[in-house]
Amino acid sequence: MSPLAFRVLGPLQVHGPDGPLRLPPGRQEVILAALLLETNRVVSTNHLVDLIWEDNPPETARTQVQICVSRLRKLLAGADGEVSITTRPPGYVLHTDAGNVDAALFTSLVLRARRLRERGEPDQAVRLLRDAVTLWQGDCLSGLDSGPLANKARQLNEERLTAVELRIQLELELGRYDGLVGELQRLTHEHPLREKLRGQLIQALYWSGRQAEALEAFRTARRFLAEELGLEPSRELRELESAILAGRLPAPAAPAPVRVSGDRAEEEPAGAEPEEDSEPAPVPPSPESLRQDAVPHQLPAAVADFVSDAGQLAVLEEALTGRPGRTTVGLAAITGKPGTGKSTLAVHVAHMLSETGFPDGQLYCDLRGTTGTPATPEEVLGRFLRALGIPGQLIPESLDERAEMYRTRLASRRVLVVLDDAAGEGQVLPLLPGSRGCAVLVTGRARLTALPGAHRVELDVLAEDRALELLSRIVGRERVAGEAAAAEALVRTVGRLPLALRIVAARLAARPHWTLASMVQRLANERHRLDELAHGEMTMRASLSLTYEGLAPEDRRLLRLLSMAQAPTLPSWLAGALLDDRRPFPSDLMEPLVDVQMLDVAGVERTGGFRYRFHEIIRVYAREQLAAHHTPEARQEALARMAGGWMHLAQQAHRKVYGGDFTVLHGDAPRWEPPTSYTDEVLADPLAWLDAEQASLCGMVEHTADAGLHDLSWDLATSLVTLFEVRGHYDLWEQTHLSALAAVRKAGNLRGTAAIRASLGSLYMSRNQFDTARQSLNSALDVFQALDEPMGEALCRRDMALIARTSGDDSAALELYRRSLADFDRAGDVVGRAIVLTQSAHIRMRQGEITEAQRQLDEALDIYEGVGYTGGRARTLRRVGQLLLEQGRSDLAVLTFTEVLELCRDSGDVIGEGHLLRDLGHAFVVMGRPDRARDFFDRAVTAREGVMDFSGGALARLDLARLLDAEPGRSRQLLVPAVEVFRERRMGRELAEAERLLATGC
């Protein structure tokens, strides 16, 4: 049976062996189109609901999507068994060969054409590009009624035109001028705003001997752009005109062929001249520049007693580093059943290649594919982007935008990405870089056969010689040599499975008086388990039971209780909390489990203490023992102590940042306090600790919510806003709070519900979702008033005032600030008072009440300095600097801004640094020192755009352009990209000014 063919490059069509298949119009068309645009990748149910109903889905929306998918399955199954739609959380995947979908085929042909061009084969590239464009039968998904899908269709339509422009450029380079004129005249008529096509038409006319028509084509373009947009032609078009008039227009030339130097591909344009060096400003390096050049090293520690297979290492090295001239990202997948050492091999190979093959860094993530909550691609990309220097506030929401930013960040680097424990291909594909200098190493239990171009290494049990070598390294060579026959029998008995062998060998190493023969005898006495050892997971349970039964009773209890922890790695204090043991060095409780390899040492904390990690199979075994030996009440009590420990540390971290329990509500759930010395050391840098423990803390919010510990859940969630707000982790803020909200509402916890709603109001306000923020804050305020909770009322009114201020309603904002101030005073919260004073001072400044604004800022500074809240002091000092500037005290304003700039740099606040650089530029403008102002605006552009904050960069570009009356060329270079940003972000006032400056020739 011939396969189905899917067409989206035009009207949506499906062609089977017997001709076109009739698709029911409406929802099924929309769902099929969405799945085809993401062929072999997961499309979430929420996304499908949004595509069909946009902002107003019915309550039965998810059910209706399921029905539509079921009908599509029947339709496709009846035509071709090789196409299927499978359910994969959080949605569905359409599986088919990519060549059966015209959009995927189009993308593949264009990519192959670009590679042929790089290799100096333009004729073949032109042929492929023509084939690619002929796949189109009209605009993408024409006739389909879905606004969100229309955006994706427009993107593909744009890629079609880009492919046409590339093909024409290649034909120009091949000298086919005459044959292109008619086509280009048609294209410029259909797409009059595409200046690249107009430039190609001018070149085709000129080199066809039609110079007068070439000049007329330029004049036509100029008239059109002036009349329609009020703009001059681009610099490229103007340079073409000048070259034609001077008789110096060079013939279109192909780019220089790519030559390979070492492992890097470099282009050498003919006649290229080096750019002139510019002298940098004499300032110390900022955190932004350090983050830009930072090299991530995220690999876990390698195993010292690793037993290598030279063949496997060679295959993986070849796949990842490749040969000179490789044009795609290196991709290798290590697969196999549990316990075969997939992660160990991956980490070993990554360390082996890190310095020579990937000097620009190594990214690592445990994808949690074998757990119930695998990491989403959005979550992983967010982590990687932060590791690559992007602040949380600038990381986009959508998966596609995060992936684009990730590929851009890696485009010029040689980075190895290790993705451990993948659930499937859909989890991995969005995480692949686009640069051929990068490589990706994936591990997983699934075979991952749908990863395109991946080299696969499937692990099985160890060969006998390698199994004996592993046993020798753990037990000792002398013992193995002394009982050679018993050693061979032992490795055969455990099935040469690496994890099983490590566990048995660890017991022998811990008991030097045991003989290897005695261990063989012990295993032989469990013959039913040994039979299962050769068949999979039951064998692991048998091997683990040998070690487990050899533990002391208290060690067995700890192993069972530790299995409740859902954190990726375990700090030592958890042992004390679970056993309610308050000894000063709780790592002593963990070490017996490490000795027998029931726990692994995962790393070292800044305090010098160790962190531990379960192997997942051992965790599963321990959980089975937990259910068999502990009542639900005992498990709940242990979980409450563990969560109480995290709550205590999070509360202490907040206190160190804010100088006390300020601007936060707490519940009454009991805390469990780790050793004081540990707490003091680990919280020496509280934000760094919150960053490092982010996954564990967020996981504990959800764990306690699921377990019904609602008081701990909401308390911990709201305490974590200390981290979320500073780092811009808005997605985690929402995720944790929604989990806690479900728990407190189910328990009827009114105070907790109000606290979560108030915090969500702050989140929505930060996202500029003001209507949603007002609803959430009003709902919380009603409850707080009924409970007579002054702190809650103060927080709600403070945020409501900020919304009013942002919306331009200063009188309403001042009244809300007045009431919030009284509430904070009732609650005894001095930091809350200082925040209100600082925020309302901005309104006083706008209204000309300089004296009152100064008084409020002075009081706020006194409070911040009294409690030691550095972040609040920095924000207030910035307002002080702006006030000084308004008063004409420019020298003092500069000193103030400089002090705040240093505070931002010390705390790694890159966004704040960009603001202060602009403030300093404005101050020097007022002082009549344009040279200094230009320096600071230049640095502001670099700082903001260096972390992909293009809105902030565009504002700094506009600042700089205002000072460049005498340099119209430089001014235009600054303003043209700024105009695009202003237009895209709908920044109307700034757009109007930038366009005015361009029109006046500045």
Side-chain angles (χ1 to χ4, degrees), residues 650-662 683-688 690 719 721-723 726 831 864 867-873 875:
Q651 185 172 353
Q652 292 300 316
H654 176 93
R655 287 173 177 170
K656 285 183 174 289
V657 171
Y658 281 83
D661 273 327
F662 300 122
L683 294 182
D685 185 341
L687 279 175
L690 287 167
S719 296
V721 175
T722 308
L723 172 69
V726 173
V831 168
Y864 289 138
V867 301
Y869 180 23
T870 305
R873 181 171 177 270
R875 284 187 284 275

Side-chain angles (χ1 to χ4, degrees), residues 740-786:
L741 181 61
V744 291
R745 291 178 64 182
K746 181 179 179 180
N749 185 333
L750 293 179
R751 187 167 180 268
T753 300
I756 290 292
R757 287 196 181 280
S759 185
L760 284 171
S762 296
L763 167 64
Y764 299 139
M765 182 180 64
S766 300
R767 287 176 166 173
N768 295 327
Q769 298 171 300
F770 295 132
D771 289 340
T772 308
R774 286 190 192 95
Q775 293 174 9
S776 193
L777 291 168
N778 280 323
S779 173
L781 182 58
D782 289 343
V783 176
F784 285 138
Q785 287 176 317

Side-chain angles (χ1 to χ4, degrees), residues 250-582:
V258 175
R259 73 174 175 85
V260 176
S261 174
D263 289 332
R264 294 183 184 271
E266 303 173 355
E267 290 189 2
E268 297 183 338
E273 296 180 1
E275 296 181 357
E276 294 181 1
D277 292 332
S278 58
E279 184 176 349
V283 295
S286 69
E288 180 276 324
S289 62
L290 293 176
R291 294 181 73 170
Q292 178 76 10
D293 298 330
V295 177
H297 297 288
Q298 297 187 329
L299 296 176
V303 175
D305 54 21
F306 178 76
V307 178
S308 64
D309 180 308
Q312 291 174 348
L313 296 180
V315 168
L316 290 170
E317 182 177 5
E318 172 67 17
L320 297 172
T321 59
R323 298 173 180 173
R326 184 180 73 188
T327 58
T328 60
V329 64
L331 181 56
I334 302 173
T335 63
K337 58 180 176 288
T340 50
K342 300 179 291 295
S343 300
T344 302
L345 176 59
V347 171
H348 178 85
V349 170
H351 278 288
M352 181 180 72
L353 301 177
S354 59
E355 293 186 8
T356 57
F358 303 96
D360 296 330
Q362 306 86 44
L363 296 169
Y364 172 89
C365 186
D366 178 4
L367 299 183
R368 308 193 302 271
T370 55
T371 71
T373 55
T376 65
E378 292 93 332
E379 173 189 344
V380 178
L381 287 170
R383 290 180 53 185
F384 283 174
L385 287 169
R386 290 187 181 92
L388 293 167
I390 305 298
Q393 297 93 328
L394 301 181
I395 296 175
E397 293 287 333
S398 75
L399 172 60
D400 287 344
E401 289 176 318
R402 289 189 179 194
E404 289 167 5
M405 183 179 284
Y406 170 70
R407 291 192 292 269
T408 299
R409 204 66 168 167
L410 294 183
S412 59
R413 301 186 182 189
R414 292 167 61 195
V415 173
L416 176 62
V417 182
V418 180
L419 303 174
D420 199 11
D421 192 21
E425 296 86 352
Q427 193 182 22
V428 172
L429 289 172
L431 308 179
L432 300 182
S435 168
R436 61 186 172 187
C438 295
V440 180
L441 181 56
V442 188
T443 75
R445 295 183 184 181
R447 294 184 182 275
L448 304 174
T449 54
L451 286 179
H455 295 259
R456 292 172 189 81
V457 172
E458 183 160 355
L459 300 186
D460 202 347
V461 297
L462 296 171
E464 184 165 334
D465 57 341
R466 290 175 58 219
L468 289 170
E469 174 63 18
L470 178 59
L471 182 64
S472 298
R473 292 187 181 189
I474 299 173
V475 174
R477 296 190 183 279
E478 292 183 0
R479 289 179 73 182
V480 172
E483 295 184 78
E488 292 175 1
L490 182 58
V491 299
R492 287 196 301 271
T493 301
V494 298
R496 306 195 309 276
L497 195 64
L499 180 58
L501 184 57
R502 282 183 180 277
I503 294 170
V504 172
R507 294 202 68 200
L508 287 167
R511 295 167 175 76
H513 55 282
W514 283 13
T515 65
L516 273 64
S518 68
M519 178 59 77
V520 173
Q521 184 60 38
R522 290 178 64 88
L523 293 171
N525 290 337
E526 302 179 41
R527 192 172 298 275
H528 63 286
R529 294 181 177 180
L530 293 176
D531 290 340
E532 295 174 354
L533 185 61
H535 293 88
E537 186 177 357
M538 289 298 292
T539 62
M540 291 302 302
R541 192 172 292 114
S543 296
L544 289 170
S545 70
L546 291 172
T547 303
Y548 175 79
E549 294 299 336
L551 292 170
E554 197 68 358
D555 296 334
R556 292 201 298 269
R557 179 176 175 234
L558 176 59
L559 182 73
R560 296 191 298 265
L561 293 174
L562 279 172
S563 70
M564 290 194 298
Q566 297 178 355
T569 60
L570 312 175
S572 58
W573 65 262
L574 277 184
L578 289 167
L579 297 177
D580 203 14
D581 185 317
R582 299 183 182 273

Side-chain angles (χ1 to χ4, degrees), residues 782-825:
D782 289 343
V783 176
F784 285 138
Q785 287 176 317
L787 296 175
D788 191 23
E789 177 61 73
M791 176 65 79
E793 294 180 52
L795 292 170
C796 290
R797 291 193 173 106
R798 179 201 65 188
D799 288 346
M800 293 164 73
L802 184 55
I803 294 172
R805 190 185 95 191
T806 305
S807 303
D809 191 350
D810 287 353
S811 60
L814 286 174
E815 174 59 20
L816 285 164
Y817 278 135
R818 183 190 66 77
R819 298 185 67 182
S820 177
L821 202 64
D823 292 330
F824 276 126
D825 289 345

Side-chain angles (χ1 to χ4, degrees), residues 617-679:
I617 298 173
I618 300 177
R619 187 197 300 272
V620 170
Y621 176 82
R623 284 176 179 168
E624 291 180 352
Q625 299 301 313
L626 177 74
H629 292 84
H630 296 266
T631 65
E633 293 77 15
R635 297 199 296 269
Q636 191 82 336
E637 290 172 3
L639 176 59
R641 290 193 299 272
M642 177 168 59
W646 286 114
M647 184 63 241
H648 172 78
L649 291 169
Q651 185 172 353
Q652 292 300 316
H654 176 93
R655 287 173 177 170
K656 285 183 174 289
V657 171
Y658 281 83
D661 273 327
F662 300 122
T663 68
V664 67
L665 281 165
H666 285 303
D668 299 325
R671 275 55 166 161
W672 194 93
E673 297 185 17
T676 303
S677 59
Y678 173 87
T679 302

Side-chain angles (χ1 to χ4, degrees), residues 607-624:
T607 63
F610 296 106
R611 294 187 73 88
Y612 304 88
R613 177 173 53 210
F614 267 116
H615 186 288
E616 188 57 33
I617 298 173
I618 300 177
R619 187 197 300 272
V620 170
Y621 176 82
R623 284 176 179 168
E624 291 180 352

